[in-house]
Amino acid sequence: RRKKKEPAKAVGFFQLFRYATGCEVLLMIIGLLCAALHGIALPLMCVVFGQMTDSFVQSGQQLNLTGTFCLTSALLNSTDGCIQIPGVDIEALMTRHAYYFVGIGCAVFLLGTFQVMLFLLTATKQTKRIREKYFHAILHQQMSWFDTHQIGVLNVRLTDDINTINEGLGDKICVFVQFFCTFLSGFIIGFIFGWKLTLVILAVSPLLAGSAILATLTSKELSAYAKAGAVAEEILVAIRTVVAFNGQKKAVERYERNLEDAKNFGIKKAITTNVSMGFTQFVIFGTYALAFWYGTKLSVDEPENYTIGKTITVFFSVMIGAFSLGQGAPNLEAIAKARGAAYEVYNTIDQPRPIDSSSKEGHKPDCVKGDIEFKNIHFSYPSRKDVKILQGVNLTVPRGKTIALVGASGCGKSTTIQLLQRFYDPDSGEITLDGRDIRTLNVKWLRENMGIVSQEPVLFGTTIAENIRYGREDATDEDIERAVREANAYDFISKLPDLNTMVGERGAQLSGGQKQRIAIARALVKNPKILLLDEATSALDTQSESVVQAALDKARAGRTTIVIAHRLSTIRTADVIAGFSNGEVVEQGTHRELMAKKGVYYSLVMQQSQGKPEEDEEDPVEEDNPPKYEDLDYVLYDSSDMDELEVGNEEGIENGGFEKNSISSDLLHHVGPWSFSFKPDEAPDIPFTRILALNKPEWPYMLVGTLSSLVGGAVYPCVAIIFAKIIGVFSEVDPEVKRQKTMMFSLLFLLIGGVAFVTYFLKGYMFGKSGELLTMRLRRQVFHAMMRQEIGWFDDNNNAVGVLTTRLATDASLVKGATGSRLGLATNTVCALTIAIVVAFIHSWQLTLLILACVPFLIGANFIQMRAMAGHASKDQGALEQSGKISTETVENFKTVVGLTREDVFFHKFMDSLERPYQNGLVKAPIYGLTFAVAQAIPYMVNAAIFRFGSWLIAHCHTEYENVFLVFSVIIFAAMNIGESASFAPDFAKAKAAAGRILGLLEKKPEIDIYSEEGEKPTDFVGDIEFRGIHFAYPTRQNVRVLQGLNVSVGPGQTLALVGESGCGKSTSIQLLERFYSPAEGQVLVDGLDTKTLNLSWLRSQLGLVSQEPILFDCSISENIQYGDNSREVSQDEIEEAAKNANIHDFIMGLPEKYNTRVGDKGTQMSGGQKQRIAIARALVRQPKVLLLDEATSALDTESEKIVQQALDAARQGRTCIVIAHRLSTIQNADQIAVIQYGQVTEQGTHTDLMAKGGAYYALVNAQVNH
C-alpha cells in the first residue's frame, strides 16, 4: 500500500479544514482575530514592566547619589522616619502601572474565552462530519478495496486517527496564532524601543526555532502500532481456534513482534523531542547572557537611548516573541499529526468508487422480469491478478427459472454470483439483466432486487426481528412473520420469548441451521425477483435441511434463481444445471440430460450417490411433523424472565455482581441493540503508587530521570536570582563596576544553560524509554490476559472484539503518561517551589506573603483548566467504544451489509452512536473557553497587586527595589515552571481510568486458566472419552439448559458420531471436551480422569479440532498448517505430509507461490473447500490422539467432500474420533452413533442397530435419503 517512500505523507494545512461549513469558517476567523489580539497582550505588558523598572531604578539611583548607599540604608532602617526621595513619587507612578496591568488582564479574559470556545465548537462539528464521511466512504468502497486493506487497520483509523485530527482542528490552531502574534508584536516593540539590542538578540533567535523536528515521526508511530492492532484483532476474532490449538503463546509472540516497531519509534521520538527541548533551554539562557551583557554596554555607552527599563522591555519582548514561536511548536505538532492522520482518512474519502451503492446514477427500471445473461466473462480478483478465475463464462438464465451451478471447489461459482451483485466488475465481457448491461443500472436498485443467502450467513449483534428487517427497512411485523414462516423458522422462533431476542455477536447464540433460516427470511422479506443461493443449506443437519430446502423450493417459485450447491440432491429439480470447470461453463441441461451426457455433472453425482438410493424425486415428507423442539439452545433474556433470573448463584460466574449488572441492564434496556451497559467499565480508582508499580522493572531509568528532574527544578529559581541581581547592578553609578558585574552574571547564565540542557535530555530520554517499555509491556500483558480469559468472557457483550482492540490501542499508551513523566514533573515542581519560597522569604517576607496569597489563584486557574479537560475523558471513551463496536461489526461483515444494501442503516446507527459525544463536545467548548481565559488573565491581576504593594514597601523603606524584583521573579519563574508541568494533567485523568481498566483485566483470574501449569499430564494417553451426566448452560444465558444429563462414551480408537437437530447440543459437547466451558454439573472424563484435573494445555494438545466454519489467519498456507502444533517447529515435510493427507497438496502446488501463498484476512482468498482442507491439515499436523470433527465436510462440494472424507477416514485410523455430521452418509461406518435430543442421548448403537430400531435415527436417515 505504501509504494512510494516519501516523507510522512500529509494533507495540506487548508486541506485539513475542507469539511468546515461557511458559518464555521467565519467563527474560526473570529476566533483567530481574538487570538491575534490576545497575542499582543504579553509584549504590551513588557512595555509597562520596562517603564516600571525605570521608575524603580530611579528611586534606587537617587539614593545612591545622595550618599554612600550602605550607610544611608543602615540609617534609614534604624530610624523611624523614612527619607522620601525627592523627584520620584514611586507610589503614584506604580498605581498607574497597576491600572494598566488590570486593563490588559480584562481584555485577555474576554479574548481568551472566545478564541478557545469558537474553535472547540467548530472542531467538534467538523470531527463528527469527518467520522461520518469516512465511515460512509468505507461503507461504499468496492470489494476489491477491502481485499487489500486490513480490517483492523480501518478500525484503528476510525478511532485513533480521527481523534488525532480532532486534536489538530481544535484550539491548537488559535493558540498557535496567539503565540505567533506575540512573536510579531514582540519583535515590533523591540525595534521601536531599541533596534541595536533587538538585532543582536535576533541574531541568535534562529537557534530557538531548532525544535521543529517532531512532526515527521508521529505518522509513522501510528502505522507502527496499526500493524500490531490488526494482528490483535485477527487473533481475538478467531479466539476459539487459537485456544483449541494452544496458540496463545504464538499469538502473544506475534503481537509482541509487531509491538517492537511501535516501541522503537516511541523511543526515537522521545530522544529527538528532548534533545530539541534541552537545546532550546540552552539557547535561551545563552541569549539571556548575551542580551544583558550587551544591554549594560549600551546603557553605559549611550545612556540617552538605553535605560535599564528599555533594555528590559526590548529583551523581554524579543525573548517572549522568540519563545512563543517555541511554545507554538507543540501546537503545530498536533496540527502536523492531524495532517498525517488526515492523509489516509481523506484519501479514503476521496477514493474514486466505480461501483458506488450510494450513487443516484444508473437506470432504475420500473419492473424486473429477471432474464440474466453472462456474455463471455473473464475475471480475476484485483488482489490476485495473476490467478484467472473466470475464463469466458457464457450463461443464460431465463426469467422465473432456476439454474444451478455445480463444479469443484474454487472453480468460480461463487465468483459469478459476486459479479452479478456487482461486488466486482468483470475484466471483460458483460452481464445483462432484462437485456441491459448491469453496469448501466443503479447499483443499489440492482442489489435491492436480489435476495442472497450465502454459505456462512452473517447475522448482526441485534435482535432477530432487526436482522430480518435488514432485508427490507419498511417491513411490517406481518411481513417479517410471513418471511419467517416461508423460511420455516417459525417453529424455533416461536419457542423464543419473542422476535426481539438478541442473537449475539455475529449470531453466535444461534445454531447454524437457525442462522441460515433467519438469513433466508431476511432474503425473502424483500420479495426479490432474483434469488441467489450460495450453498444455502450446506451447513444444516438433515432435518433442518429438508425443512429449509422445502422453504427454498417455495421461495423459488416465480423467481429467477441461481443456486450453487455441493449437495447435488438439492438441485435435481433445477430447470437448468450448469457444470463449471476451470472458470468456464462446460455443460448445461436438466438433470436427465446431463446424466445422459456423462460429463462433469455425471461424475459429481456418481461420487455423491454411491450406496444411496438416490433416484426417488423430492418428497417433502417433513412438513407435517410435530413442531421441533429445536434450538432452545439459545434463548436470551428478555424482560419476561426478569423474575426468575438468578444470576450469580450459578457456578461458572465468578464475580456474580459484575455479571448481574450486565445482564439486568440488558433486560432494562431491551430497547435497541446498542443499549449495552457500560457499568463494568467504571474503572476502580487506583492510587498513584499502584500505577507507578507497573513501571517497576524500569526503576533505574526512573531514578535517573527523577534525579535530573530534581536538578532541573533548581534551574529556574537560579535564573530568577541572577536576573534580579543584574537589575540591581544598574543602580551602580560607576560604569566599570557595572561592566564587571554584568559580565560575571552573564557567564553564570551560560553555565545554567548547560546544566538545563543536560537535565532536560536525561529526563526526557529516561522517561521516554521507560514509558515506551511500559506501554509495550502493558500491551503485551493485557493481550496475554485477554488470551487467558475463558471463552465465556468473550461471549459477554462488554468484551466484543471492537471494544478489546480499542482498549489495546489506547489504554496502554495512556498509562505511560501517568508514570514516568508524571513523577518527573512532581519532583521538578517540588524542588522549584521549595527553593523559590525559601529565597523569597529571606529577601522580603512581606511581599512573599502577598505573593503566596496570590498563588492559590494562579494554581486554581490552572487546576480549573485541567478539570475541564479531564472530566469528559471517561464519558467520551464509552461512547466511542460503542461506535467502535458498530464500525467493527459493519466492516467485518461488509459483504453482507452491501449485499443487503443496508449501508445506510449501519451508517445511521453509527451516526447515532456519535450523537452523545458530539453533544458533550458542544457543551464542553464554552466551559473550557472560560477556564482557559481565567487561567490566562489571572497573572496580569496578580502582577498589578504585587508591584503596587512593592512600591509601597519601597516608599516606606521596608525593602529595596532589587529585593522586590528578586522575590517577584523567583516566584513567577517557579509558577511558570509549575504551570508548564500542570499542562500535562489532562493525560492523568484518562491515564488513571485506563490503568484501572488494565489492572482490572490483569487481575481477573479465569476459572479455566490456560496458563496454569497445574493438572496431570498422563504419559500414556489412549483416548477413552466419557461424558457423564452433563448439565450445561452458556454463561451469558444461564436460564437456558443446553445439555440436560448427557451420557455418552467412546472407547480408544473408536469413532463416535453425534447426530441430531440443529441446536440440540452436539457442538456444545465438543466445546466442553475442549474445556472452553465447564459443565454446570457432571463430568467429562478422559481415560477415566475428570478433565478438570488434567493440565489444560496438555489436554488440548491431544485433541485435533476441525470446525464447521474454519478460521484461517492472514498469513501463508504453510504457517496456517504449522499452527496445528504450536509446541514445536513443524518441518516443511510434515506440513506437506499433512496437506497430502488432507488432500490439498496438489492444489497448493498449483498456486503461483505454492505454500507461501497468503490466505487473506480470515482466509477470504480461499474457497470454502480449500479453507476446510487447510484446516484439516492443520488438525492432522499435531498428530492428535483424539480427532474432533464438527461438520468438517458440510461446506464442501461433492468432489472435495469425497476426497476430504477419504482423508478423514484415513486420519481416523487408530485415533479416537468424535464426529458431528449433518450428512448421515458420512458416518454410516462409525463404531457408535448417538442421537441427541433435548440435550441428552436418546438412542445409541451402530448404523445397522439403529436402522433396525426404527427410531429417531431412522427418521433422520429417511428424511435425508428421500431428499
Side-chain angles (χ1 to χ4, degrees), residues 1115-1135:
C1115 50
S1116 68
I1117 293 181
S1118 64
E1119 287 170 292
N1120 264 305
I1121 295 178
Q1122 272 174 330
Y1123 200 79
D1125 194 340
N1126 286 314
S1127 55
R1128 58 195 172 96
E1129 264 310 307
V1130 180
S1131 66
Q1132 186 62 29
D1133 300 342
E1134 287 182 80
I1135 294 178

Side-chain angles (χ1 to χ4, degrees), residues 433-452:
L433 171 61
D434 294 349
R436 294 173 193 277
D437 185 333
I438 59 170
R439 279 173 286 200
T440 62
L441 298 171
N442 178 289
V443 182
K444 186 165 180 181
W445 176 88
L446 175 74
R447 290 181 187 154
E448 275 177 344
N449 279 292
M450 296 180 183
I452 170 129

Side-chain angles (χ1 to χ4, degrees), residues 653-971:
I653 289 189
E654 304 122 294
N655 37 10
F658 162 79
E659 199 69 33
K660 203 170 227 141
N661 237 331
S662 54
I663 292 180
S664 37
S665 58
D666 253 10
L667 294 176
L668 302 176
H669 295 117
H670 226 291
V671 204
W674 298 111
S675 39
F676 305 130
S677 66
F678 275 100
K679 291 285 165 0
D681 285 11
E682 286 301 310
D685 221 8
I686 36 177
F688 182 52
T689 44
R690 277 295 301 281
I691 301 182
L692 269 186
L694 291 174
N695 228 338
K696 226 188 235 124
E698 284 81 35
W699 71 265
Y701 292 119
M702 306 283 280
L703 188 66
V704 177
T706 312
L707 285 177
S708 41
S709 299
L710 200 64
V711 179
V715 167
Y716 271 108
C718 295
V719 171
I721 295 169
I722 296 178
F723 171 65
K725 290 285 181 212
I726 285 187
I727 292 182
V729 170
F730 274 88
S731 57
E732 287 290 347
V733 191
D734 178 2
E736 253 330 289
V737 180
K738 257 191 197 173
R739 207 165 263 167
Q740 279 168 359
K741 283 197 170 176
T742 41
M743 192 67 194
M744 180 183 79
F745 287 133
S746 304
L747 288 173
L748 274 176
F749 263 134
L750 210 55
L751 177 72
I752 291 182
V755 174
F757 176 68
V758 177
T759 56
Y760 249 96
F761 170 68
L762 272 178
K763 177 172 88 179
Y765 174 64
M766 293 303 165
F767 287 142
K769 179 132 187 179
S770 68
E772 287 303 325
L773 290 170
L774 172 73
T775 304
M776 176 165 165
R777 197 171 61 248
L778 278 184
R779 276 186 176 145
R780 188 185 70 222
Q781 286 177 341
V782 169
F783 189 64
H784 191 258
M786 285 177 183
M787 300 316 297
R788 165 187 197 173
Q789 299 305 326
E790 53 210 36
I791 300 291
W793 185 76
F794 291 94
D795 293 345
D796 181 1
N797 269 325
N798 289 309
N799 304 316
V801 176
V803 175
L804 296 181
T805 44
T806 314
R807 284 246 174 110
L808 278 172
T810 51
D811 281 4
S813 54
L814 281 175
V815 174
K816 154 178 85 180
T819 53
S821 38
R822 175 104 188 144
L823 198 64
L825 290 171
T827 25
N828 197 335
T829 311
V830 170
C831 177
L833 261 186
T834 319
I835 296 180
I837 290 176
V838 170
V839 170
F841 267 115
I842 292 171
H843 282 87
S844 166
W845 60 269
Q846 300 98 326
L847 192 54
T848 310
L849 283 178
L850 172 74
I851 296 184
L852 286 183
C854 296
V855 165
F857 289 107
L858 289 170
I859 292 179
N862 271 328
F863 181 72
I864 298 173
Q865 196 175 350
M866 281 148 37
R867 291 304 310 156
M869 288 177 71
H872 294 275
S874 49
K875 274 194 205 161
D876 286 4
Q877 181 73 19
L880 287 176
E881 275 188 0
Q882 200 41 55
S883 60
K885 220 178 208 173
I886 297 175
S887 62
T888 308
E889 185 178 43
T890 313
V891 175
E892 284 192 338
N893 306 322
F894 185 71
K895 273 204 165 102
T896 311
V897 175
V898 171
L900 294 167
T901 63
R902 278 300 87 99
E903 296 96 336
D904 292 351
V905 180
F906 283 93
F907 178 54
H908 287 307
K909 228 187 213 177
F910 181 72
M911 276 169 50
D912 294 342
S913 71
L914 290 179
E915 198 53 44
R916 265 220 351 268
Y918 169 67
Q919 294 302 341
N920 283 347
L922 295 186
V923 175
K924 209 162 44 172
I927 300 176
Y928 187 38
L930 276 171
T931 50
F932 170 79
V934 169
Q936 296 284 321
I938 284 185
Y940 292 93
M941 309 302 181
V942 173
N943 280 353
I946 291 173
F947 283 110
R948 178 71 191 77
F949 182 54
S951 64
W952 184 87
L953 286 176
I954 293 176
H956 294 92
C957 302
H958 289 295
T959 182
E960 298 133 34
Y961 85 94
E962 184 184 318
N963 292 351
V964 172
F965 268 96
L966 198 145
V967 172
F968 168 70
S969 54
V970 156
I971 290 194

Side-chain angles (χ1 to χ4, degrees), residues 66 112 584 630 850 894 897 961 1147 1161 1224:
T66 46
E584 43 195 344
E630 298 217 87
L850 172 74
F894 185 71
V897 175
Y961 85 94
F1147 160 75
D1161 191 27
L1224 301 181

